[in-house]
Amino acid sequence: MNQFLSVKDVPNLEGLIREALAIKKHPHLFEHLGQHKTMGCLFFNSSLRTRMSTQKAAVNMGMDVIVMNINEDGWKIETDFGVVMDGDKAEHIKEAAGVIGRYCDIIGIRAFAGLKDKEKDYSEHIISQFIRYSGVPVISLEGATGHPLQAFADVITIEEHKKTRQPKVVLTWAPHPRALPHAVPNSFAEWTIAAGYEVVIAHPEGYELDERFTQGAKITYDQKEAFKDADFIYAKNWSSYTHYGEILSRDLSWTVDSAKMSLTRNAGFMHCLPVRRNMIVSDEVIDSPRSLVIEEAANRVVSAQTILKRMLESQKR
Ligand code: AN0
Ligand code: CP
């Protein structure tokens, strides 16, 4: 495995899930694989879970880890080509990626969508330059279009809690004061569809996601209808994809609350975190025994470790 950006980079999802559950039971069995290898984690944006869980996963694999907040700890980086670099950016991504690739055996990158230029964001223009110029395997730690380690952790969590082979999984939009990217809902849709679940996506009009990620899901503007008999409710805000990056609704009637949860089949409540309480979800729901948010975050170590194992194994050959 040379890159991990999407479920398409995984040859066999069922096998990967099985491997993840085995790693969760015995997290220290593979320390030899990462010995004398370095993981580099590069953050263009804030993070709590991804930063800590990926480091922990790398340490569990026996690796050393270097973490850098790009644009803060080092030189500011120019990511466009052909520009006269006479501003505040002292280093070009082409050299930075080449250099980091000499220090690290695997690189993880967090680089959110700018939400201004759809084409640029959907080309993953930062991560793709690291793939091109670093010469080492690259893991998305949330790029512009996807958050695969999160979606993989979410699928692991669903596998651990599902009571039927093909649970009904509902991804619902919920209100938020700021314009957020599509990476989390894109990946959640892509991975849950690939896992073979019954996937329903509920959102107000105008919030349709890119069809490349949602093909195979049922899409509805009726949140209550979607919640009926659901086994899992996954809440998330995102900005509009069609009216790229815009906030079209702040409608608090989309907040996930107990009344809506009572329409479900005693569904588990999921969110990737960080979550804004009483915007996305009521206190009552997130504090209830049906809330799986901490377990999802715990499974971020498992998803990251499984991907690192695959990458280290393919480097050995
Ligand atoms: C980010 C997002 O929506 O993509 C990160 C989520 C893991 N969330 C916020 O910026 C609040
Ligand atoms: N869920 C998630 O990726 O959280 P962080 O942004 O804190 O890493």
Side-chain angles (χ1 to χ4, degrees):
M1 189 184 279
N2 263 327
Q3 62 171 57
F4 183 67
L5 272 63
S6 151
V7 77
K8 296 190 189 84
D9 295 319
V10 173
N12 170 0
L13 180 53
E14 225 179 286
L16 195 77
I17 294 168
R18 244 181 289 122
E19 194 169 5
L21 294 171
I23 287 173
K24 187 168 180 172
K25 272 199 202 133
H26 303 287
H28 301 289
L29 272 185
F30 307 102
E31 282 168 340
H32 57 284
L33 282 178
Q35 260 196 354
H36 311 301
K37 300 254 176 168
T38 302
M39 167 89 199
C41 293
L42 312 179
F43 288 90
F44 285 82
N45 312 94
S46 310
S47 166
L48 186 161
R49 279 142 291 274
T50 305
R51 176 180 295 257
M52 294 186 75
S53 63
T54 311
Q55 284 190 62
K56 187 170 166 85
V59 169
N60 283 353
M61 291 306 295
M63 303 182 82
D64 294 319
V65 191
I66 301 172
V67 182
M68 240 187 116
N69 299 318
I70 300 285
N71 293 331
E72 288 171 35
D73 298 342
W75 304 105
K76 280 201 188 5
I77 293 189
E78 177 60 62
T79 58
D80 288 334
F81 284 86
V83 287
V84 178
M85 288 173 59
D86 60 356
D88 63 339
K89 294 171 181 160
E91 175 141 31
H92 198 273
I93 192 166
K94 200 167 168 179
E95 287 78 50
V99 168
I100 293 166
R102 300 299 171 96
Y103 303 150
C104 302
D105 301 280
I106 297 175
I107 301 175
I109 300 154
R110 165 159 288 198
F112 287 176
L115 293 179
K116 288 191 170 67
D117 183 338
K118 187 190 251 182
E119 218 171 291
K120 191 169 175 182
D121 285 348
Y122 273 69
S123 74
E124 287 288 1
H125 98 116
I126 292 183
I127 291 185
S128 62
Q129 293 184 50
F130 274 93
I131 291 172
R132 196 149 164 208
Y133 298 115
S134 72
V136 298
V138 169
I139 300 179
S140 165
L141 303 179
E142 186 173 341
T145 62
H147 194 359
L149 287 175
Q150 180 65 50
F152 183 21
D154 296 332
V155 166
I156 295 167
T157 311
I158 292 173
E159 287 298 312
E160 290 177 316
H161 287 272
K162 73 179 190 184
K163 295 193 182 70
T164 55
R165 202 177 58 81
Q166 200 195 21
K168 178 176 175 184
V169 176
V170 177
L171 166 62
T172 181
W173 181 92
H176 193 280
R178 299 171 79 166
L180 297 187
H182 311 111
V184 170
N186 280 348
S187 284
F188 185 75
E190 181 186 49
W191 281 72
T192 50
I193 293 164
Y197 308 145
E198 180 192 347
V199 180
V200 178
I201 306 176
H203 55 70
E205 253 184 284
Y207 278 99
E208 287 73 11
L209 292 161
D210 182 347
E211 280 172 12
R212 284 173 292 184
F213 295 91
T214 61
Q215 221 152 46
K218 184 179 169 226
I219 292 158
T220 174
Y221 302 143
D222 187 339
Q223 193 188 33
K224 286 192 181 136
E225 181 60 33
F227 272 48
K228 266 186 210 154
D229 297 325
D231 297 298
F232 296 91
I233 298 296
Y234 194 95
K236 183 72 185 84
N237 174 269
W238 61 89
S239 57
S240 175
Y241 174 70
T242 328
H243 302 278
Y244 195 65
E246 285 179 32
I247 296 178
L248 306 179
S249 168
R250 297 176 197 273
D251 185 355
L252 285 170
S253 76
W254 279 79
T255 302
V256 176
D257 61 15
S258 301
K260 281 178 215 162
M261 288 301 284
S262 70
L263 302 169
T264 69
R265 216 162 14 203
N266 199 20
F269 173 79
M270 302 178 75
H271 188 281
C272 62
L273 305 181
V275 72
R276 294 200 184 220
R277 284 169 173 256
N278 304 311
M279 289 286 308
I280 301 280
V281 58
S282 70
D283 284 336
E284 207 182 355
V285 171
I286 195 169
D287 292 331
S288 79
R290 299 304 302 154
S291 175
L292 300 174
V293 296
I294 305 298
E295 284 188 50
E296 286 175 80
N299 279 334
R300 289 293 306 277
V301 180
V302 185
S303 65
Q305 206 179 327
T306 310
I307 298 309
L308 287 175
K309 177 170 178 284
R310 284 280 173 105
M311 285 188 166
L312 289 167
E313 282 168 347
S314 42
Q315 280 183 334
K316 266 193 107 151
R317 272 189 233 121

